Amino acid sequence: MIQKLMKHQRLEISLLLIMMTLFCFSLSLFRYYMTDTKVFFFLNWNLFLAWIPLIITSFAVIFNVKSKLSLMIMVIIWILFFPNSPYILTDLFHLKVRSSIPIWYDLVVILSYAWTGLICGFISLGDIEKFLSAYLKRPMINLIVVVFLFVSSFGVYLGRFLRWNSWDILNNPFGLFNDIIVRFVYPLEHTKTWGVTLLLGVMLNFMYFMIKVIKKEHPIITPLNVN
């Protein structure tokens, strides 16, 4: 199993993400050392949750899961945790001037966590695309990706403003479903919900598809030949 992981192309990006995660953790530790406060320690938990979608799809990729039923179950579990990846972007709400440490340091802390979580999510979404490509054509896959990103934005709203989390699908499903259904039944009474979902969804779609285009245009960056 270890040899299989070592040879897999997922290893390189996984190591980079692990290093970035350690960097994020070191930033929060240094902040705690300087201020003796645990203000941003919650970011470590948020980043752990952001890793879950990538862990789910990575296992499916590495072990070449092909069963339709297994893939369907994986996608359902994945979509429940996927909003945790872009969710850290909203932790910028916690950015404010504090006497104990410069605001620019806190900005670097939050952006580091947000970027790491977002990349974890985007890589896992790319994995989902690859799984779907075995059964669907490209236009349909693109449509599903767009829908997933808007669903994720709705999930971010539920987490940030209504304080629901992925575990509540088991802990309090009726309360969660009630908050979801009422926003579909009475959309005009919940303009904030749809405003956040729409704008964040558009932004995430631009970000994801831009990264895909960059990867397509520059699959391998090689040094220029200088005579």
Side-chain angles (χ1 to χ4, degrees):
M1 176 179 173
I2 295 177
Q3 290 181 346
K4 189 173 183 178
L5 291 174
M6 291 296 292
K7 292 179 180 179
H8 202 278
Q9 61 182 4
R10 177 54 54 89
L11 179 65
E12 185 175 0
I13 186 61
S14 297
L15 289 176
L16 284 171
L17 283 171
I18 290 171
M19 291 172 63
M20 188 65 187
T21 299
L22 292 174
F23 172 69
C24 292
F25 185 57
S26 68
L27 289 176
S28 64
L29 280 180
F30 180 76
R31 193 186 191 286
Y32 172 68
Y33 173 76
M34 294 298 295
T35 65
D36 198 29
T37 60
K38 300 179 180 179
V39 174
F40 288 144
F41 264 28
F42 68 88
L43 289 172
N44 294 298
W45 173 250
N46 289 351
L47 186 54
F48 166 75
L49 293 177
W51 265 90
I52 293 180
L54 180 57
I55 293 172
I56 292 171
T57 60
S58 292
F59 270 101
V61 169
I62 292 171
F63 296 102
N64 198 24
V65 176
K66 292 183 178 180
S67 165
K68 287 185 179 181
L69 178 60
S70 298
L71 291 176
M72 187 180 300
I73 294 173
M74 180 202 69
V75 171
I76 292 173
I77 297 173
W78 172 84
I79 195 61
L80 293 176
F81 287 95
F82 180 60
N84 291 302
S85 295
Y87 176 84
I88 308 180
L89 289 170
T90 65
D91 284 320
L92 285 166
F93 283 177
H94 298 288
L95 185 65
K96 63 181 180 180
V97 176
R98 293 178 171 88
S99 59
S100 56
I101 203 162
I103 191 172
W104 59 260
Y105 185 87
D106 284 346
L107 177 63
V108 171
V109 172
I110 298 174
L111 288 179
S112 297
Y113 278 91
W115 172 256
T116 308
L118 192 63
I119 293 301
C120 285
F122 281 174
I123 294 174
S124 73
L125 181 55
D127 291 338
I128 296 295
E129 283 197 69
K130 292 177 183 177
F131 293 130
L132 294 177
S133 65
Y135 307 100
L136 302 172
K137 294 182 178 180
R138 174 48 53 184
M140 180 58 66
I141 294 174
N142 287 338
L143 177 60
I144 291 173
V145 168
V146 170
V147 170
F148 277 160
L149 288 168
F150 276 105
V151 169
S152 173
S153 300
F154 183 71
V156 171
Y157 172 84
L158 293 176
R160 169 54 60 193
F161 297 99
L162 302 186
R163 308 310 298 166
W164 293 107
N165 60 63
S166 302
W167 313 106
D168 287 320
I169 193 71
L170 298 175
N171 294 334
N172 188 8
F174 295 108
L176 175 59
F177 289 145
N178 179 69
D179 272 349
I180 293 174
I181 294 301
V182 74
R183 280 161 173 76
F184 281 92
V185 175
Y186 304 105
L188 296 181
E189 295 181 12
H190 300 280
T191 54
K192 181 179 179 180
T193 301
W194 302 114
V196 172
T197 300
L198 177 63
L199 294 181
L200 184 58
V202 170
M203 185 186 76
L204 290 177
N205 272 281
F206 272 124
M207 295 171 75
Y208 180 70
F209 284 102
M210 281 180 181
I211 290 176
K212 284 190 64 176
V213 170
I214 292 172
K215 182 181 178 181
K216 182 179 178 180
E217 292 292 326
H218 305 282
I220 300 177
I221 299 176
T222 56
L224 294 174
N225 292 323
V226 181
N227 295 325

